[in-house]
Amino acid sequence: MDLAAPPGTPVRAAAGGRVSFAGAVGGRGVLVVTLDAPAGAAPRRITYEPVRARVAVGTAVAAGDVVGVTEAGAASHCAGRCLHWGLLRGDDYLDPLSLLPRRPPSRLLPPG
């Protein structure tokens, strides 16, 4: 999922977990937070890029903690003006919106 974010925008952890990677991949800063999983289950991993990490590998983070800032000038389909936010379990991509609290559906009401 791509979220509009100019360079220098603080990036917050979408859920609590432990930083399992913080470094460059293909010239772009990448940060990965691994979530706890039951024994025998593949853990989910939240990915953020392009990001300059503000936390080290092994750091425990809580939902809402600032973990980095978006980077300027990273080669990207959105020219460094967005944050790519992903969620994986093993090699399978999941919907990162599933990490957000559930809200009741929106309803449109007549004017007045």
Side-chain angles (χ1 to χ4, degrees):
M1 171 174 292
D2 291 328
L3 304 170
T9 301
V11 176
R12 296 182 180 275
R18 190 163 300 278
V19 177
S20 55
F21 182 85
V25 174
R28 294 174 52 151
V30 175
L31 180 75
V32 179
V33 174
T34 299
L35 310 180
D36 289 335
R44 293 177 297 166
R45 300 180 320 277
I46 307 169
T47 60
Y48 306 91
E49 63 177 282
V51 170
R52 184 174 357 108
R54 292 276 171 97
V55 290
V57 170
T59 302
V61 298
D65 286 355
V66 174
V67 294
V69 295
T70 54
E71 289 187 308
S76 168
H77 57 276
C78 55
R81 309 269 322 149
C82 72
L83 171 72
H84 180 78
W85 176 40
L87 179 63
L88 296 103
R89 178 177 286 127
D91 292 333
D92 296 327
Y93 282 92
L94 306 172
D95 181 2
L97 292 175
S98 66
L99 296 170
L100 300 179
R102 297 270 182 226
R103 293 182 178 189
S106 297
R107 292 185 307 157
L108 296 177
L109 302 174

